[in-house]
Amino acid sequence: MGVAQLTEVSAEESGDVIRVEFVLDKPLPNHGSYLLGVVAASSDYSHQRRLSIEFIDGDVVDFSTFNHEQVDQEHHDKSFVHSDGTRVRASFPASSISGLGRGRIVTAYSHADGEEIQSKVPVTTAGF
């Protein structure tokens, strides 16, 4: 039995929030580490942000944004992450992607126990 795979990812920017929903083909693993994330980049990839959620043994242990230019990680309130079965929903601050301009490139990724499972998964966006 393999690790959970992303089947659908959506992101909606609305006011000061970016709502991201990850849909998996099976529930999150209840042992080991599992990372879900979105990469948002400027149209020329010169500016990038990683919005991520890390789970250990099925529990959220980190909810953060990493700014590649500033080599800075901002941690967010984990209460803005909700998971039920095969869906994980998170509300990131819209400031997480400030400075990227319009025409952003947005893809999703997943890792399990430190190994990349998926990358460049298409993300359906709204409000971008």
Side-chain angles (χ1 to χ4, degrees):
M1 189 161 170
V3 102
Q5 300 279 315
L6 290 167
T7 60
E8 184 181 333
V9 182
S10 60
E12 178 183 10
E13 185 176 0
S14 177
D16 60 352
V17 173
I18 299 170
R19 290 180 187 85
V20 180
E21 181 175 49
F22 300 91
V23 180
L24 304 166
D25 65 349
K26 58 183 79 166
L28 285 167
N30 58 11
H31 64 281
S33 68
Y34 194 79
L35 180 72
L36 290 171
V38 170
V39 175
S42 58
S43 59
D44 65 357
Y45 283 96
S46 63
H47 304 286
Q48 295 183 31
R49 310 286 189 282
R50 286 189 180 268
L51 291 66
S52 62
I53 308 162
E54 184 177 6
F55 299 86
I56 301 252
D57 299 335
D59 296 321
V60 177
V61 295
D62 192 38
F63 176 46
S64 62
T65 302
F66 183 77
N67 181 327
H68 285 262
E69 297 86 64
Q70 298 174 0
V71 190
D72 181 44
Q73 188 164 11
E74 179 183 353
H75 298 276
H76 311 299
D77 184 340
K78 294 182 283 191
S79 70
F80 289 102
V81 177
H82 304 281
S83 62
D84 57 5
T86 59
R87 293 184 184 269
V88 175
R89 295 173 189 89
S91 294
F92 291 88
S95 61
S96 298
I97 61 169
S98 65
L100 296 179
R102 291 289 171 197
R104 301 174 191 115
I105 298 163
V106 183
T107 59
Y109 62 93
S110 63
H111 293 196
D113 294 326
E115 299 293 323
E116 182 179 280
I117 302 300
Q118 292 171 282
S119 65
K120 297 183 181 173
V121 174
V123 176
T124 302
T125 59
F128 280 66

